Amino acid sequence: MDWNATRPGEVEGGAPDRADAALTFIGRIRTPFRDRADCPHRGAADGPLCRIEVDEPWRPALHGIEPGMRLEVLYWMHLARRDLLVQAPKGRPAPLGTFALRSPNRPNPIASSEVDVAGVEAGAVLVRGLDCVDGTPLVDLKPARR
Amino acid sequence: MDWNATRPGEVEGGAPDRADAALTFIGRIRTPFRDRADCPHRGAADGPLCRIEVDEPWRPALHGIEPGMRLEVLYWMHLARRDLLVQAPKGRPAPLGTFALRSPNRPNPIASSEVDVAGVEAGAVLVRGLDCVDGTPLVDLKPARR
């Protein structure tokens, strides 16, 4: 399957050509999903255990994260396209604008997921409920909105 | 007030010095909040009307956004510090790690808020529930998780 093929009804354009701000990846996410074909369509609270690894410089910032907390995780969908304005996902009756979809393909491919903390280790947080490929770059962690 | 002062109990470090990925700002957010002192601590569903302006190249990606939808908005907190690992916000009994807080100060200062769509115009979405300074750069829009 060609994940990067443009489908009928899809519109390309708006591809970013400016670096307005720089992200620093602060770690990576270990999941059992080896490639995109393995990934669930969306995460589930009873999904497999995933390990959010935080690189050494940022580990002190984990202080206060405890099992049972609900976390919001931002991550960089490094395999996504950034040039799709209108998309035609399978199972949708008509194409929709990228901003009306949660597709990984978007101008700034940042995903946000909410997960339950199952455990905390030195430099890592164990969670359930993620949907991304093993090795996905980590952008941010914060408590979920109440 | 010096918004950038480091308070007792806070820990600096981990400041990003790599550009692992580039963001392109796709628009900006117009709010009645002229500076940080004006901003509410958090957005409210009955807050003032704010206008999310999308730049021309990305406007086709708004197709399908309708009044009444709940949107997730990602934006870049351009006034924030990126070098705080442990923070001592007012009203908290003890310092906490940055990843256990929703403070704007974080290694990658991306905020996520959920808002109700009050109206849609050509190239803009009107919403309530944002908390950011007028002119804040827009990173992404997507339907809120159900």
Side-chain angles (χ1 to χ4, degrees):
Chain A
M1 174 169 179
D2 179 1
W3 290 92
N4 289 325
T6 301
R7 298 173 181 168
E10 294 192 328
V11 177
E12 300 172 3
D17 54 2
R18 300 187 315 254
D20 293 322
L23 293 182
T24 301
F25 297 151
I26 57 172
R28 71 209 58 72
I29 301 175
R30 296 297 175 197
T31 73
F33 313 123
R34 304 284 289 276
D35 56 39
R36 283 198 272 190
D38 289 339
C39 292
H41 185 62
R42 54 190 297 180
D46 60 353
L49 213 55
C50 300
R51 184 184 168 89
I52 300 174
E53 297 178 349
V54 174
D55 289 341
E56 198 286 327
W58 293 281
R59 289 183 188 167
L62 293 170
H63 174 66
I65 295 183
E66 306 282 354
M69 272 180 72
R70 190 135 177 99
L71 275 189
E72 182 174 1
V73 187
L74 301 186
Y75 44 99
W76 185 255
M77 294 177 285
H78 57 302
L79 302 176
R81 286 178 65 168
R82 303 181 68 173
D83 68 337
L84 284 178
L85 295 170
V86 175
Q87 301 183 49
K90 279 184 205 162
R92 294 262 186 180
L96 276 176
T98 291
F99 300 145
L101 293 166
R102 289 185 69 91
S103 158
N105 300 311
R106 43 210 322 116
N108 293 302
I110 297 172
S112 87
S113 286
E114 284 192 9
V115 294
D116 293 317
V117 176
V120 178
E121 301 175 353
V125 183
L126 302 176
V127 304
R128 292 185 195 275
L130 287 172
D131 57 2
C132 59
V133 166
D134 185 45
T136 293
L138 180 64
V139 171
D140 198 13
L141 292 174
K142 44 188 143 208
R145 295 173 212 95
R146 282 139 297 175
Chain B
M1 174 168 179
D2 179 1
W3 291 93
N4 289 324
T6 301
R7 298 174 181 168
E10 294 192 330
V11 176
E12 299 172 4
D17 55 1
R18 299 187 315 253
D20 294 322
L23 293 183
T24 301
F25 297 152
I26 56 171
R28 71 208 59 71
I29 302 176
R30 296 297 175 197
T31 74
F33 313 124
R34 306 284 287 277
D35 56 39
R36 281 197 274 190
D38 289 341
C39 292
H41 184 64
R42 54 191 296 179
D46 60 353
L49 212 55
C50 300
R51 184 184 167 88
I52 300 173
E53 297 178 349
V54 173
D55 290 340
E56 198 286 328
W58 294 281
R59 289 182 188 168
L62 293 170
H63 175 66
I65 295 183
E66 307 282 355
M69 271 180 72
R70 193 139 175 96
L71 274 189
E72 183 173 1
V73 187
L74 301 186
Y75 45 99
W76 184 255
M77 294 177 286
H78 57 301
L79 303 176
R81 286 179 63 169
R82 302 181 68 173
D83 67 337
L84 284 177
L85 295 170
V86 174
Q87 301 183 49
K90 278 183 205 165
R92 293 263 187 180
L96 277 176
T98 291
F99 300 145
L101 293 166
R102 290 184 69 89
S103 158
N105 300 311
R106 43 209 321 114
N108 293 301
I110 297 171
S112 89
S113 287
E114 284 193 10
V115 293
D116 293 318
V117 176
V120 179
E121 301 176 354
V125 182
L126 302 176
V127 304
R128 293 185 195 275
L130 286 172
D131 57 2
C132 59
V133 167
D134 185 45
T136 293
L138 180 65
V139 172
D140 199 12
L141 291 174
K142 45 187 140 206
R145 298 173 209 95
R146 283 137 299 176

PDB file of all heavy atoms in Angstrom, chain B residues 2 11 28 41 44 59 77 80 107 119 121:
ATOM      1  N   ASP B   2       7.713  41.030  36.111  1.00  0.00           N
ATOM      2  CA  ASP B   2       8.652  40.389  35.185  1.00  0.00           C
ATOM      3  C   ASP B   2       8.207  38.947  34.956  1.00  0.00           C
ATOM      4  O   ASP B   2       8.411  38.064  35.785  1.00  0.00           O
ATOM      5  CB  ASP B   2      10.069  40.421  35.761  1.00  0.00           C
ATOM      6  CG  ASP B   2      11.055  39.749  34.824  1.00  0.00           C
ATOM      7  OD1 ASP B   2      10.629  39.293  33.735  1.00  0.00           O
ATOM      8  OD2 ASP B   2      12.234  39.673  35.170  1.00  0.00           O
ATOM      9  N   VAL B  11      13.707  25.275  38.505  1.00  0.00           N
ATOM     10  CA  VAL B  11      14.944  24.702  37.983  1.00  0.00           C
ATOM     11  C   VAL B  11      15.025  24.990  36.492  1.00  0.00           C
ATOM     12  O   VAL B  11      14.099  24.684  35.740  1.00  0.00           O
ATOM     13  CB  VAL B  11      14.996  23.167  38.219  1.00  0.00           C
ATOM     14  CG1 VAL B  11      16.247  22.561  37.593  1.00  0.00           C
ATOM     15  CG2 VAL B  11      14.922  22.848  39.710  1.00  0.00           C
ATOM     16  N   ARG B  28      -3.001  33.309  12.587  1.00  0.00           N
ATOM     17  CA  ARG B  28      -2.826  33.871  13.930  1.00  0.00           C
ATOM     18  C   ARG B  28      -4.181  33.979  14.602  1.00  0.00           C
ATOM     19  O   ARG B  28      -5.219  33.900  13.938  1.00  0.00           O
ATOM     20  CB  ARG B  28      -2.101  35.214  13.888  1.00  0.00           C
ATOM     21  CG  ARG B  28      -2.905  36.357  13.323  1.00  0.00           C
ATOM     22  CD  ARG B  28      -2.017  37.380  12.695  1.00  0.00           C
ATOM     23  NE  ARG B  28      -1.227  36.793  11.612  1.00  0.00           N
ATOM     24  CZ  ARG B  28      -1.734  36.407  10.424  1.00  0.00           C
ATOM     25  NH1 ARG B  28      -3.018  36.531  10.155  1.00  0.00           N
ATOM     26  NH2 ARG B  28      -0.964  35.871   9.493  1.00  0.00           N
ATOM     27  N   HIS B  41      -6.648  32.836  33.237  1.00  0.00           N
ATOM     28  CA  HIS B  41      -5.790  31.706  33.616  1.00  0.00           C
ATOM     29  C   HIS B  41      -6.088  30.511  32.719  1.00  0.00           C
ATOM     30  O   HIS B  41      -5.202  29.744  32.352  1.00  0.00           O
ATOM     31  CB  HIS B  41      -6.018  31.362  35.085  1.00  0.00           C
ATOM     32  CG  HIS B  41      -5.108  30.291  35.577  1.00  0.00           C
ATOM     33  ND1 HIS B  41      -3.741  30.450  35.648  1.00  0.00           N
ATOM     34  CD2 HIS B  41      -5.364  29.028  36.010  1.00  0.00           C
ATOM     35  CE1 HIS B  41      -3.204  29.333  36.106  1.00  0.00           C
ATOM     36  NE2 HIS B  41      -4.158  28.459  36.326  1.00  0.00           N
ATOM     37  N   ALA B  44     -12.659  29.930  28.812  1.00  0.00           N
ATOM     38  CA  ALA B  44     -13.978  29.539  29.312  1.00  0.00           C
ATOM     39  C   ALA B  44     -14.952  29.558  28.144  1.00  0.00           C
ATOM     40  O   ALA B  44     -14.842  30.390  27.237  1.00  0.00           O
ATOM     41  CB  ALA B  44     -14.445  30.503  30.394  1.00  0.00           C
ATOM     42  N   ARG B  59      -6.406  28.002   3.483  1.00  0.00           N
ATOM     43  CA  ARG B  59      -7.854  28.181   3.665  1.00  0.00           C
ATOM     44  C   ARG B  59      -8.709  27.037   3.133  1.00  0.00           C
ATOM     45  O   ARG B  59      -9.728  26.700   3.743  1.00  0.00           O
ATOM     46  CB  ARG B  59      -8.291  29.526   3.057  1.00  0.00           C
ATOM     47  CG  ARG B  59      -7.783  30.671   3.921  1.00  0.00           C
ATOM     48  CD  ARG B  59      -8.208  32.021   3.427  1.00  0.00           C
ATOM     49  NE  ARG B  59      -7.509  33.033   4.216  1.00  0.00           N
ATOM     50  CZ  ARG B  59      -7.460  34.323   3.920  1.00  0.00           C
ATOM     51  NH1 ARG B  59      -8.089  34.774   2.847  1.00  0.00           N
ATOM     52  NH2 ARG B  59      -6.803  35.156   4.677  1.00  0.00           N
ATOM     53  N   MET B  77       3.090  29.457  21.861  1.00  0.00           N
ATOM     54  CA  MET B  77       3.141  30.476  22.911  1.00  0.00           C
ATOM     55  C   MET B  77       4.463  31.225  22.816  1.00  0.00           C
ATOM     56  O   MET B  77       5.434  30.934  23.513  1.00  0.00           O
ATOM     57  CB  MET B  77       2.908  29.802  24.250  1.00  0.00           C
ATOM     58  CG  MET B  77       1.467  29.254  24.299  1.00  0.00           C
ATOM     59  SD  MET B  77       1.062  28.343  25.794  1.00  0.00           S
ATOM     60  CE  MET B  77       1.959  26.815  25.493  1.00  0.00           C
ATOM     61  N   ALA B  80       6.663  32.586  25.742  1.00  0.00           N
ATOM     62  CA  ALA B  80       7.024  31.691  26.847  1.00  0.00           C
ATOM     63  C   ALA B  80       8.519  31.394  26.899  1.00  0.00           C
ATOM     64  O   ALA B  80       9.231  31.547  25.908  1.00  0.00           O
ATOM     65  CB  ALA B  80       6.253  30.383  26.714  1.00  0.00           C
ATOM     66  N   PRO B 107       9.519  23.136  26.994  1.00  0.00           N
ATOM     67  CA  PRO B 107      10.562  23.048  25.957  1.00  0.00           C
ATOM     68  C   PRO B 107      10.040  23.346  24.553  1.00  0.00           C
ATOM     69  O   PRO B 107      10.726  24.007  23.773  1.00  0.00           O
ATOM     70  CB  PRO B 107      11.074  21.606  26.072  1.00  0.00           C
ATOM     71  CG  PRO B 107      10.438  20.992  27.257  1.00  0.00           C
ATOM     72  CD  PRO B 107       9.489  21.948  27.875  1.00  0.00           C
ATOM     73  N   GLY B 119     -18.805  30.627  14.638  1.00  0.00           N
ATOM     74  CA  GLY B 119     -19.085  31.092  13.290  1.00  0.00           C
ATOM     75  C   GLY B 119     -17.916  30.794  12.378  1.00  0.00           C
ATOM     76  O   GLY B 119     -16.798  30.556  12.835  1.00  0.00           O
ATOM     77  N   GLU B 121     -16.106  32.266   8.732  1.00  0.00           N
ATOM     78  CA  GLU B 121     -16.029  33.275   7.675  1.00  0.00           C
ATOM     79  C   GLU B 121     -15.002  32.812   6.655  1.00  0.00           C
ATOM     80  O   GLU B 121     -14.310  31.826   6.875  1.00  0.00           O
ATOM     81  CB  GLU B 121     -15.585  34.615   8.280  1.00  0.00           C
ATOM     82  CG  GLU B 121     -16.513  35.130   9.364  1.00  0.00           C
ATOM     83  CD  GLU B 121     -15.988  36.404  10.006  1.00  0.00           C
ATOM     84  OE1 GLU B 121     -14.852  36.812   9.682  1.00  0.00           O
ATOM     85  OE2 GLU B 121     -16.716  36.984  10.827  1.00  0.00           O
TER      86      GLU B 121
END
